[in-house]
Amino acid sequence: LGDMSIIKGDLRESEGLLACLEEHQPDEIYNLAGPSSPAASWDEVAMVGDIAGLGVGRLLDAVRNVTPKARFYQASSSELFGNPVEVPQRETTPFQPRNPYGISKLYAHWLTVRYRERYGIHALSGILFNHESPRRGDIFVTRKITRRAAEIKLGLAAELRLGNLDARRDWGYAGDYVLAMWLMLQHQPADDFVIGTGVTHSVREFCELAFARLDLDYRDYVVQDEAYFRPVEPAQLVADSSKAQRVLGWQAEVSFSELVYRMVDVDLKLLQNV
Ligand code: GDD
């Protein structure tokens, strides 16, 4: 970990947050904490609201009282747009979240903006579209695909059951998006930004590339299963990141195919080294 030290905390407890800031006096705070599955948030509404919503209020309060000069980044999400009223989505697109995850994130988003206005702290939100990497958890579709494809290649599994293969997302590489978070915090004055690639792909296209990387045809292994379908799929979630490009000089560097290949290659290696 080098110079890094890990201190455990809980967004449900103000005392711990206050003590942590008092002891460490951070210059920059990135709040990426909280449950991250929009689909699963229906099963744990109060917990999601408490951490992803109210928890951000506790943290902002601690920041303004203990480290008012610190810069604060809030992880907002394209889920704020829900079923979007315009395509592509930018900073001014109206929010209408469709699940408890998005609703909680919306509370945190507005609180961040209002703390900036009311208390003059350097707080901002990054409205990030889906960002993936080999570290992604396999409850999310990209890693579910790449891990299972690698297992199939090695004879460890026979099929991959997925939900809607025609669902589309604006998928980027997480490393590019972490750079965007950092660039946002360096910029004066504090402001909010939409971050994404501006291009969508279907789950089917992701499968096609992932299996092809392993010299397999996804049609031989992928089964569409109603159990994984979502009741409401957003029509067209796709980012307009032109403000980030103009103001921060940011744009996504890793292409869709490169992202898929990186994830597949790591999963294959991980399984071969077991
Ligand atoms: N998880 C999953 N499993 N999704 C599937 C499956 C499946 O078997 N089959 C199809 N999908 C489709 C979903 O219906 C959805 O349209 C798409 O794949 C992406 O789903 P997820 O990977 O679960 O991600 P998400 O878009 O719901 O949420 C992620 O992105 C948000 C926006 O950046 C998470 O990272 C959130 O935390 C984040 O806010």
Side-chain angles (χ1 to χ4, degrees):
L1 286 175
D3 284 342
M4 222 187 283
S5 54
I6 292 178
I7 304 118
K8 285 191 181 166
D10 190 331
L11 285 181
R12 288 169 293 196
E13 290 166 12
S14 293
E15 298 72 27
L17 300 175
L18 289 163
C20 180
L21 294 187
E22 257 153 27
E23 190 181 343
H24 298 282
Q25 297 289 321
D27 300 315
E28 296 184 1
I29 299 161
Y30 296 83
N31 179 37
L32 314 182
S36 59
S37 168
S41 69
W42 287 108
D43 300 327
E44 36 202 24
V45 175
M47 183 276 280
V48 172
D50 198 9
I51 298 176
L54 297 178
V56 181
R58 295 185 193 102
L59 187 51
L60 280 165
D61 243 10
V63 171
R64 103 176 152 86
N65 284 308
V66 182
T67 54
K69 295 247 174 320
R71 296 183 172 203
F72 179 82
Y73 174 89
Q74 168 59 18
S76 283
S77 159
S78 53
E79 286 291 317
L80 296 187
F81 298 120
N83 207 355
V85 299
E86 65 176 352
V87 180
Q89 295 83 47
R90 50 194 167 152
E91 291 76 8
T92 51
T93 303
F95 299 130
Q96 41 179 12
R98 307 281 291 224
N99 51 55
Y101 169 86
I103 293 163
S104 308
K105 284 280 187 190
L106 183 58
Y107 176 86
H109 179 82
W110 280 125
L111 217 50
T112 303
V113 174
R114 297 296 174 237
Y115 264 65
R116 174 168 80 224
E117 293 168 357
R118 184 179 166 98
Y119 298 113
I121 61 173
H122 191 106
L124 60 89
S125 273
I127 305 172
L128 270 51
F129 282 63
N130 299 46
H131 41 291
E132 317 293 315
S133 86
R135 294 176 171 216
R136 188 56 138 160
D138 62 9
I139 60 160
F140 297 98
V141 75
T142 56
R143 186 77 195 284
K144 182 175 172 183
I145 295 168
T146 59
R147 177 177 284 184
R148 182 50 66 97
E151 285 172 356
I152 291 171
K153 177 71 182 173
L154 297 175
L156 302 170
E159 64 172 23
L160 167 58
R161 302 189 85 80
L162 292 172
N164 186 0
L165 295 180
D166 297 314
R168 301 184 76 84
R169 281 289 187 279
D170 179 339
W171 278 299
Y173 174 58
D176 285 344
Y177 290 49
V178 170
L179 175 63
M181 293 177 198
W182 181 80
L183 287 172
M184 275 182 235
L185 271 205
Q186 312 315 308
H187 181 260
Q188 276 281 21
D191 201 358
D192 311 307
F193 293 91
V194 162
I195 299 292
T197 70
V199 181
T200 65
H201 295 275
S202 65
V203 172
R204 186 187 306 281
E205 286 165 51
F206 197 104
C207 289
E208 214 170 332
L209 281 177
F211 280 80
R213 179 72 170 174
L214 301 165
D215 299 317
L216 301 172
D217 185 334
Y218 82 98
R219 288 169 298 188
D220 296 334
Y221 306 98
V222 173
V223 180
Q224 203 164 245
D225 184 338
E226 294 283 325
Y228 296 106
F229 270 67
R230 305 229 172 134
V232 186
E233 278 287 357
Q236 263 261 56
L237 274 180
V238 55
D240 174 353
S241 293
S242 48
K243 179 176 161 187
Q245 192 168 353
R246 199 176 60 247
V247 178
L248 305 174
W250 180 89
Q251 65 180 30
E253 299 293 341
V254 176
S255 70
F256 179 66
S257 56
E258 210 177 321
L259 167 66
V260 177
Y261 297 159
R262 279 189 195 187
M263 292 181 70
V264 171
D265 292 354
V266 170
D267 269 323
L268 190 64
K269 218 175 246 158
L270 282 174
L271 287 169
Q272 282 168 333
N273 290 341
V274 169

